Structures are given as structure tokens and as C-alpha cells.
Amino acid sequence: MFAYYLELALRSLTRSRALTALMVLAIGLGIGASMTMLTVLHVMSGDPLPGRSGSLYVPLLDARPLGHGRRAEAPPNGDLAWPDALALLRARRAARQAAMAGGGAPVRPPQGARLPFFESGRYVTADFFPMFGAPFRAGAGWSAQDDDARARVVVLNAGLAARLFGDAPALGRSVRLKNTDFRVVGVLDDWHPQPLFYAPVDESVFGRADQFFLPLQTALDLKMDFQGRLSCWGSEGDQRGSGQCAWLQFWVQLDGPAQAGAYRRFLQDYLGEQRAHGRFPRPQAAALYGLMDWLDLQGAVPGDLRLQLWLALGFLFVCMVNIVALLLAKFLRRSGEISVRRALGARRRDIFLQFGVESAVVGLAGGALGLALAELGLWSVRQRPDGYAQLARMDPSMLLATFALAVGASVLAGLLPSWRACRVAPALQLKTP
Amino acid sequence: MLRPILATLTRHRLTVLLLVLQVAFTCAIVCNVAFMIVQRTALMRLPSGLAEDELVAIESIDLAEPGQPLARHEADLAALRAIPGVSAAAAVDALPFGRGEWGNGIATAPGGEAMLTAAAFDGTPGERAALGLKLVEGRDFLPGEYLPLDSAHGWSGIDRVPAAIVTRALAARLFPGQGALGRTVYPGDGPVRIVGVVEHLLRPRPRERDGNEYAMLFPMLPDDAQVIYVLRTAPAQRERVLARAAEVLAALDHDRILRRPTTFAQMREAYFRRDRTMIGLLLAAAGGLLLVTALGIAGLASFWVQQRRRTIGVRRALGATRGDILRYFQAENFLIVGFGIALGAVLCYALNALLMLHYELPRLPPPYLPAGAALLWLLGQGAVLGPALRAAAVPPVAAIRDGAR
């Protein structure tokens, strides 16, 4: 029976080719656009550190003055001032904790013949590597003692190590950054989590990677160049060491809710202590954000992309309404045929099945077209100059979702028209010539 | 004429409802999309205040230790100015559409609370003229007013700088209706006199709705190892001058990194690349919606024409002219699209309210909805014309010849 309905559907669809093409195109465009954007948002909202993200937190201590207007409304970005970061580091109340800031430095290749170049990196404290599970190809990070001793050590990412030393082992070699020689103690295995969650979340949080890592205190001591936000208030000027300049990112590792709760209380106590000294005038309590919540709060996924998704879904919806209307008109035009079949003994469910098959054929064809268009759409996203562009690839789960969406959409689109068709009464229709 | 149309439409209630729904959503989305396109375009067209077609820039990072940035910049600039075709050159720390932005809270009383944050532009003497900023009030900086930025000590030059030039927008915001010339502001610890007002100068990273021109020029000399050299030249000479500038700087001193050579036009282009993508997508979405809706209307109308061949034939036999039949279908379409627009108007403002809440979009100005409505009516009439003409061509004999299909 099914094969017969399929044959009927194909016959009916080929009878009005232009209309069938229109319906397939509409559903294909709608699904293609929606799946492109859903895939982009899916890969961008992914976990940058699977398995570890659950125990990583950002403490939020907002030291900014009260202020008014737009300045006051700007949401806190989690940046800490140096004295606060140092206090949290020294308190050692979390399983692991690290302060960090972005930086950049001119790199001089070992052979004098090659030209120096500029590279971006990060100034971090010892726990950074074990806390984030940074994969080492060789060597390891440095110790807290190295931090305190302002050791001149560096961890390179694979890219920079290869650029400097080629295939030769980099471990133990010396790298000249700006005007200081650093000893390579570790080489990372091409580590670039997407997004670069530990960096300040801004429009370039996707796509970039740090090529070197230096001890934060060493970098401060040597007056290396810092990059990224520096927000100051009060009258102490724009100084890295000031309690009135926020510029450091801080992450802690807390294993389990008990530790998280204890750390939250510790932060609140610290806040109370500091308020007694006249700092932290804002009334908000200290807060602790998990990694994924933090990315969400800071808007790691650009608003434009969400807008593009809504636009695509809106388009899909209008396409769906369009198809439902067209199928409805098409099916009801065949009321005569339906009533004859009904009079000859076809049950409602037979009619429903017959027309359901016809709409499903349209939906599947549209879905297949949509899948092709989504691949095309993702290809066009990959041509964008944005950092997230290279992430835009269909994975198996999104492929399945596309099929589910196509089948779901076509079933939904066919449901109403088929239901209306199967409600056509037999006798009434036979009366009209 | 209205009564029979309404009577017919009530016989196809569900189909008509779906069509109305489609028109309504198309209307709501297209109006808002059009507004977003206009907003983005306006942002992209913001005047920077600079002589955009005549500027090129290159970044230099001095590696010499210890560096003598002030002397180095002077020597570099002398060499750059000697390049044929270069009419002016300056060493600056920021440019509109550039990478970094240094903002200072501006108070109008000593120790007072900052009213707003203004972006700072610092550069060597002649920066204003080199950039092509148009002075509308006051004067340029005097040679005696220049001092080093002191970037090694928290950019503390800002606490001692005596003078500033502000944009007209900033002047109007700081001193509404009073004139800013000669007034004192406090971007750092000390008082700073406003000595001049320029027509336009865009912040390095413009984005928000207002405050894009909250910018100030200070007579402070960049003294970091990293600096941007801006050169002014004739539009046709830009590429050549840029290439030559890199050679001249490299020849003058090997021990440096030169990067990001660019014309100002390229800087603007790169800064708004995402917005251009977005505008393209918005246009595609609006176009796609209108197309699907038009095809939907045409498709349904041709169904109805086929379905009603016999009744059309009867009407024709009873004396209706071709024109009557044509107008019937046109009126029917006008009515359906009209219902759609009425519903669409509500949806349009609801959607706008959502966008205002989540995307900081302003309220939709009144002209968009009527324009969208007119567009949809036109689209509907255009889409229905073909089927309606076919209906008008149905001969009266169809009344007895054709079946009811």
C-alpha cells in the first residue's frame, strides 16, 4: 500500500512541477539557513575544556567605584586588581588558583639572520598549566617557587617552538623575548582551546592562541608589554600594581560543591575585610561563576550570530506556513478524488496516509536540499574573517539534527493538510459534478 | 464587490488564515530587517573626521635597549617626511578603527566624578593637520604645550598635560549650550584647558549608539617602543608611499619590527567587515522572505483560479467583463494582504520590542511599517497578476464545459 501511495504522490508532484520545485526550494532554504546557524552556534557554545570545565570557576570581585550612568551599568568583567589577585593567590583556599594577563613581546630568533617578529602570549602563575590540563609535548610548567623567585623561564606553544627551533628539541634552549633571555622549560602540544576561555571575553576570543607563557611576576618585574583591558579609577594613575586598576584574570579549581561553597564564603569574607578598609564600594556580593556560565555571562557567542540564527528560524517558519498553505490548497483541490476513494471504502486513515506520504516526499527532498545548502552555508561561514570561522563544520550530531529537523518540518507541514483532506465527506463531494 | 469576496474567503478559512499569517510574519520581519540594515549602514558611514583617502599608517616596534623613543620618532619622522609625495607625517598612539583604545574619565570639576569616558589621541606636533581634522573653533596646540606621554609610569603625562582639543560632540555633551572653548576639564589629576574644537573625530572602536565621537586630542608625545606612523599623501600615491615608508624605516634602523602597513581605507574596511557580512545576510533574508511570500501568493492564486473556472465562466456568461474578473482577484488579494499587514503591524512592533530588549536596537521609526505595507501590497498585486489575467481569460463557455476542478 505504501509503495502505491508513493507512486500516487510522485505522480501528483510531477503533475505540477513548478509548484513542487517551489515547495522543495522553500523548505530547503529554510532548513539550510537554520542548520547553518544552529551548527555555528552549536560549535561555538561547545565546552572548550571537556572533563575539566565543571570544576573551574571565576571569582567575581567588583572593585570599581559606584559611578553613575553607562559606566556604572557596564557589567563586571571579572578583572581583578593586582593586590586582590595576589591576596587570592597567597590565600591558597582553592585546590588550584592562577592569575593571568595577556601580553606580547618581540621575539628574536636564535640565528641572527632571521628578522625579529612580534608574538602574543600570556603571563600566568604556576598553577595555570596543571589547573587547565595544558598538554605538554616536552618538559612541564614552573613551580610556585619559580613564581616567587621571578624565574626567567618560558613555556612555548608548539607553533612558536617550531618557528624558532624547527624540529630540534626546544627544551632547555634559550629564547630572547623583548630584551631578556628566557629558558624553555616546557613545550605545549599545540594547545588552543576554543574559545580561549581564560582570556578576557571579547570579539577575538575565538581563533587566537597564546604562543608563549611567562611567569606573571617575572613579566611585571621586567616591565614586559601587557595587552588587553586595563581599567583604572581613582587618583593613583594607570599603574599595574595599583589597587585601583583592574586588569588580571583569575581562575580557581574547586572540586565539588562543598569546596565551591567554602570558596564563596572565603570570597565574601575577603570582600568584607576590604570594605572595612574602604575598598569595594559597590554593594554586590562576591560571586563565583563556573566556566560555561562565565562564557555565557560574558557573551562569548557574538550577538550578531544569535540574531542570524533567529533570522534563519523566522525564515524557516514563514517557509513552513507557505508550504502548509500550498499543500492544503493542493490537497483540497482533489476533494473530488478523495470523496470517490472514500465512497469506494477508503478509510480516513488511508487518505491521511496517502497525503502524508506526499508531504513527506516534499519534506525529504527539501531536507536533502537543506543539508546541501547548510554545507554551502557553513562553507561561506568559513570564508568569514572571524576567529570562529574555522570551527564552522557539521559534526555527526548536527547532521542527525538536520535530518530530524527536515523530517519533523515536513511531517508538521503535511499534518494539517492531510488531516483536512481526510475529513472530506464522501457523499457531499459526489453530489457536485 | 466586498461581500462575495468575503463569502468566498470564508469558504477557504484555513488557507486564507495561513496566507495572512505568512504575510504578517514577512511584514514584521522585513520591516525590522530593513531598520537593522539602515542602522548598520549608518554606523559604517560614520565620518571619522580624518582625510581618509589620503592616509596610510605603519606600526613600528623599536627593539633597541635602552630605547630612546622620542629621539627615534623624530629621526623616523624626518626620514618619512623626505619621501616624495608625503605631505605630512606624525607619530601617534591611536587611530580611529585602530587596535587599542585609551579612554579617560572626564570630570568638569577638580576631584569631581567623571561624566563620561573620552578616548585619547596623542601624537607628535602636527598630528591634527596630518590627520586632516577640521578645526572649527580655537587653535592648534602650541609647541610649548607638548610633553611626553610617560607610558613607562602609567601614562602619567595625562596628569600634567595643559591643553586639549575636543570634538564638537564632546564639547556639546560636556558643556551643553555654553561653548567649550577655554573651559577646564579633568581627564587626569590636573586641569586641562580646552583650546580647540574639531568637527569630527571617531573613537578607535566605535560601536554604541552615542558617544562614538567622545574623543580628545592631547599634546602628548608617544614614548613607548611601539608607535604608529601616519603619513598623508595623494590618494593615488598611497601604495607606493606605504611600501617606501617600510623601506625607509628598515634602512634607518634594523633593530625593529614593522607591522600592519595599511591604508586608512583598508582599516575602515576591515573594521566593518562583520557588519558588511551582517548586512548581506539581512538583505538575503529579507529578499528570501519576500520571494517565498510572492511565490506562495501566486501559487495559491493559480490554484483558486483553476478551482473556480466554472464559476468564473458563469459570471462571464452573466455579463461580467474581463476587467471585472481581473479586479475581483486583485481585490481579493488586496484584502488578504491587508489582513496580513494588520496582524503584521502588531507583530512588527512586538519583534522590535524584543530586539530593543536583547540587541540594543532603538525603537522602530514610524515610516518603516507603512513602507513595508506598501511593499507587500505591491508584491501581492504583482504576484496575483498572472493568475488573475488567466482568470480573466476564461471564456464564458467554461460555465458549461469545465468541471468543478
Side-chain angles (χ1 to χ4, degrees):
Chain A
M1 217 49 199
F2 184 78
Y4 173 61
Y5 289 149
L6 198 63
E7 195 192 325
L8 277 185
L10 291 177
R11 188 168 297 176
S12 154
L13 289 172
T14 44
R15 202 158 40 196
S16 42
R17 283 209 181 89
L19 192 80
T20 307
L22 165 65
M23 288 193 290
V24 170
L25 189 70
I27 204 163
L29 279 175
I31 286 180
S34 302
M35 285 322 295
T36 302
M37 290 324 298
L38 276 173
T39 305
V40 169
L41 261 80
H42 168 74
V43 295
M44 288 183 72
S45 324
D47 189 339
L49 222 53
R52 277 184 185 269
S53 56
S55 55
L56 294 174
Y57 294 84
V58 174
L60 191 64
L61 298 169
D62 193 357
R64 296 174 302 168
L66 284 167
H68 57 78
R70 198 202 299 278
R71 273 158 63 84
E73 284 164 27
N77 55 28
D79 289 355
L80 293 186
W82 174 245
D84 297 317
L86 202 59
L88 296 192
L89 276 177
R90 295 218 166 123
R92 298 202 158 277
R93 296 294 281 266
R96 285 182 177 124
Q97 50 256 304
M100 62 210 72
V107 184
R108 287 181 200 267
Q111 301 93 327
R114 282 188 295 162
L115 287 175
F117 55 92
F118 198 86
E119 198 62 86
S120 296
R122 203 150 298 268
Y123 309 136
V124 306
T125 56
D127 276 357
F128 178 91
F129 303 102
M131 180 164 70
F132 293 148
F136 277 93
R137 176 178 290 174
W142 56 82
S143 67
Q145 287 77 37
D146 290 332
D147 268 336
D148 291 336
R150 273 81 167 149
R152 299 190 174 181
V153 292
V154 63
V155 167
L156 300 181
N157 216 338
L160 183 56
R163 191 167 172 187
L164 286 176
F165 304 110
D167 295 332
L171 213 60
R173 302 279 292 265
S174 160
V175 177
R176 193 164 179 81
L177 297 171
K178 201 175 177 189
N179 50 348
T180 310
D181 287 322
F182 293 88
R183 186 169 48 87
V184 179
V185 293
V187 179
L188 290 179
D189 203 4
D190 204 12
W191 188 56
H192 46 90
Q194 293 295 319
L196 204 64
F197 62 95
Y198 57 75
V201 178
D202 59 21
E203 56 197 20
S204 54
V205 73
F206 283 93
R208 68 176 177 204
D210 289 319
Q211 287 302 334
F212 67 84
F213 300 85
L214 294 182
L216 177 63
Q217 271 136 305
T218 311
L220 266 174
D221 248 27
L222 293 170
K223 294 199 184 306
M224 303 287 287
D225 294 321
F226 285 81
Q227 292 179 340
R229 300 183 296 231
L230 166 68
S231 150
C232 298
W233 56 93
S235 56
E236 289 179 20
D238 298 356
Q239 303 279 1
R240 296 278 166 194
S242 162
Q244 297 182 332
C245 284
W247 56 282
L248 287 147
Q249 288 76 52
F250 200 91
W251 286 82
V252 293
Q253 177 184 334
L254 301 165
D255 303 316
Q259 272 194 23
Y263 201 78
R264 206 173 267 120
R265 280 191 298 281
F266 159 69
L267 286 176
Q268 195 55 42
D269 290 346
Y270 177 75
L271 205 58
E273 227 171 80
Q274 291 295 311
R275 281 190 180 135
H277 291 94
R279 294 186 68 222
F280 294 96
R282 297 197 175 203
Q284 284 84 357
L288 199 57
Y289 286 92
L291 191 154
M292 295 311 284
D293 291 340
W294 177 251
L295 290 180
D296 195 36
L297 182 81
Q298 293 291 306
V301 177
D304 267 8
L305 282 178
R306 289 184 199 277
L307 204 59
Q308 286 167 22
L309 172 66
W310 285 114
L311 210 57
L313 289 176
F315 182 66
L316 176 63
F317 177 77
V318 170
C319 285
M320 294 278 294
V321 172
N322 187 46
I323 290 158
V324 174
L326 287 176
L327 281 177
L328 190 64
K330 190 167 191 225
F331 291 172
L332 288 188
R333 218 181 94 202
R334 281 150 66 188
S335 294
E337 174 196 324
I338 298 168
S339 56
V340 171
R341 280 204 64 207
R342 291 278 277 129
L344 291 175
R347 289 160 302 174
R348 276 193 177 159
R349 104 160 73 118
D350 299 319
I351 305 289
F352 186 83
L353 198 62
Q354 180 196 340
F355 288 98
V357 167
E358 190 170 332
S359 20
V361 169
V362 171
L364 284 180
L369 179 66
L371 200 62
L373 288 177
E375 284 295 351
L376 193 71
L378 287 172
W379 175 82
S380 82
V381 169
R382 284 198 293 278
Q383 308 308 308
R384 293 184 192 176
D386 300 284
Y388 59 78
Q390 288 316 308
L391 293 177
R393 282 174 204 284
M394 190 79 77
D395 58 16
S397 66
M398 288 317 280
L399 202 68
L400 270 174
T402 309
F403 266 119
L405 186 72
V407 171
S410 63
V411 165
L412 218 60
L415 219 53
L416 185 75
S418 310
W419 178 76
R420 282 288 283 126
C422 79
R423 306 269 300 175
V424 169
L428 193 75
Q429 289 296 333
L430 280 180
K431 264 191 251 165
T432 46
Chain B
M1 180 114 170
L2 203 61
R3 283 266 286 297
I5 295 178
L6 282 174
T8 322
L9 290 185
T10 48
R11 289 198 50 185
H12 299 275
R13 252 178 315 227
L14 201 56
T15 319
V16 170
L17 186 74
L18 287 167
L19 201 56
V20 165
L21 210 60
Q22 182 180 359
V23 171
F25 272 92
T26 304
C27 176
I29 296 176
V30 166
C31 283
N32 278 289
V33 161
F35 182 44
M36 282 191 269
I37 292 173
V38 169
Q39 290 279 115
R40 294 266 169 161
T41 316
L43 181 71
M44 287 174 59
R45 291 206 177 141
L46 281 178
S48 67
L50 276 60
E52 296 199 10
D53 293 339
E54 303 174 21
L55 295 176
V56 298
I58 187 165
E59 222 179 288
S60 166
I61 302 166
D62 193 7
L63 301 180
E65 283 296 335
Q68 282 164 331
L70 296 180
R72 160 122 329 275
H73 297 163
E74 220 162 288
D76 285 349
L77 283 174
L80 290 171
R81 289 195 186 105
I83 297 175
V86 172
S87 59
V92 303
D93 69 342
L95 282 176
F97 313 126
R99 304 228 153 206
E101 176 167 314
W102 181 35
N104 291 291
I106 309 295
T108 50
E113 201 171 338
M115 284 176 72
L116 48 84
T117 305
F121 289 84
D122 314 297
T124 51
E127 177 188 13
R128 188 199 59 78
L131 295 182
L133 298 174
K134 197 171 151 203
L135 201 62
V136 289
E137 271 184 82
R139 59 166 172 86
D140 208 337
F141 297 126
L142 303 173
E145 285 169 336
Y146 280 89
L147 52 84
L149 184 52
D150 207 1
S151 43
H153 301 96
W155 302 273
S156 58
I158 192 76
D159 297 329
R160 301 187 294 271
V161 69
I165 294 176
V166 301
T167 59
R168 194 147 62 183
L170 182 59
R173 173 73 178 77
L174 286 172
F175 304 103
Q178 303 169 37
L181 211 59
R183 308 290 292 249
T184 304
V185 291
Y186 296 81
D189 291 347
V192 175
R193 218 167 90 93
I194 295 176
V195 298
V197 177
V198 289
E199 189 178 23
H200 291 295
L201 174 57
L202 213 52
R203 269 174 30 184
R205 318 288 299 167
R207 184 63 26 190
E208 299 156 43
R209 265 177 286 154
D210 52 354
N212 276 336
E213 287 203 35
Y214 290 174
M216 299 176 90
L217 287 164
F218 291 106
M220 290 197 281
L221 306 168
D223 57 0
D224 203 0
Q226 186 170 345
V227 75
I228 305 167
Y229 291 118
V230 193
L231 310 178
R232 189 152 171 196
T233 181
Q237 307 263 17
R238 283 177 293 182
E239 298 297 335
R240 186 186 61 78
V241 163
L242 199 52
R244 187 77 194 110
E247 290 167 18
V248 164
L249 290 174
L252 209 58
D253 179 15
H254 275 308
D255 205 13
R256 70 164 106 213
I257 296 171
L258 292 170
R259 59 175 186 168
R260 302 192 186 122
T262 174
T263 67
F264 193 82
Q266 288 166 339
M267 285 173 75
R268 175 184 276 271
E269 205 261 355
Y271 187 80
F272 288 117
R273 196 168 288 152
R274 290 163 202 237
D275 297 275
R276 255 196 315 284
T277 308
M278 192 67 191
I279 288 177
L281 287 172
L282 289 169
L283 277 174
L289 277 174
L290 291 173
L291 184 73
V292 166
T293 302
L295 290 175
I297 289 173
L300 269 185
S302 50
F303 266 135
W304 282 342
V305 170
Q306 286 171 16
Q307 202 169 24
R308 296 179 199 160
R309 271 182 76 83
R310 195 167 154 271
T311 34
I312 295 168
V314 170
R315 277 200 68 195
R316 291 277 281 124
L318 290 175
T321 61
R322 283 167 191 273
D324 289 334
I325 305 295
L326 186 68
R327 273 190 296 280
Y328 173 89
F329 279 95
Q330 285 174 333
E332 185 185 64
N333 178 266
F334 188 82
L335 209 61
I336 295 175
V337 176
F339 287 137
I341 288 167
L343 180 62
V346 181
L347 286 176
C348 179
Y349 280 98
L351 189 61
N352 181 233
L354 266 178
L355 288 170
M356 282 167 66
L357 198 65
H358 295 293
Y359 292 97
E360 293 183 1
L361 204 73
R363 184 171 294 286
L364 190 69
Y368 284 88
L369 189 59
L375 180 66
L376 276 166
W377 258 315
L378 272 176
L379 189 80
Q381 291 299 314
V384 86
L385 192 64
L389 282 173
R390 247 175 290 139
V394 170
V397 75
I400 45 172
R401 200 183 280 162
D402 285 17
R405 36 176 315 193

